[in-house]
Amino acid sequence: MIMDVCAARQKYMCYLEEERVRKSKDQMSLKRKNLTDEIGELKVKKLRLVSEANALCKSADKYSAKAESVKSMSEIRHLVAKSNSHRKTSKDKLSEAEKVDKALDEKLALLKNS
């Protein structure tokens, strides 16, 4: 009977160890999944910011070209102001895209280390 109890205890200890290892693996896979989801979101955000910045830059160029062809001084001022506003917003979006790129690099490094 003592042998049966020892064997049952040994099986139970093995079971507990397997459960501990399984939980650890599940937790690591969940962390990895969360990291990959965050990386995907950051990539999408970066692409969106860059495309918006490019669109704003094109719009600013369009307003500048329009300002060159207009004769009215008040309309020129208005178009140049719009152009400058679009360029400033474009620069802001590009700087934000750079910040997102740095965050993306950090997340990729975390994923690589885990």
Side-chain angles (χ1 to χ4, degrees), residues 6-96:
C6 287
R9 178 171 165 63
Q10 187 68 23
K11 284 181 183 178
Y12 181 67
M13 295 305 272
C14 287
Y15 168 76
L16 288 178
E17 183 63 28
E18 287 172 3
E19 285 295 309
R20 202 172 306 130
V21 168
R22 186 186 57 80
K23 283 183 182 180
S24 175
K25 284 182 181 179
D26 289 347
Q27 192 175 31
M28 289 298 290
S29 67
L30 183 63
K31 284 182 184 179
R32 181 175 288 275
K33 184 183 181 307
N34 288 339
L35 268 175
T36 55
D37 289 346
E38 286 180 38
I39 287 170
E41 290 171 7
L42 287 173
K43 284 180 181 180
V44 168
K45 184 175 182 179
K46 180 185 170 190
L47 287 174
R48 181 182 49 81
L49 286 170
V50 169
S51 67
E52 287 176 1
N54 288 338
L56 284 168
C57 193
K58 286 178 185 177
S59 177
D61 291 341
K62 185 179 88 173
Y63 282 126
S64 294
K66 202 177 211 183
E68 289 176 2
S69 65
V70 173
K71 303 268 189 226
S72 170
M73 200 58 167
S74 64
E75 196 170 337
I76 289 173
R77 277 191 230 130
H78 177 71
L79 290 171
V80 168
K82 272 188 173 181
S83 174
N84 289 342
S85 172
H86 283 222
R87 286 192 200 287
K88 183 181 181 306
T89 306
S90 175
K91 284 182 183 179
D92 292 344
K93 294 223 183 244
L94 286 175
S95 67
E96 190 176 340

Side-chain angles (χ1 to χ4, degrees), residues 94-110:
L94 286 175
S95 67
E96 190 176 340
E98 288 176 13
K99 290 177 186 175
V100 169
D101 194 37
K102 288 179 184 177
L104 182 63
D105 289 341
E106 290 173 4
K107 296 288 182 184
L108 287 171
L110 279 175

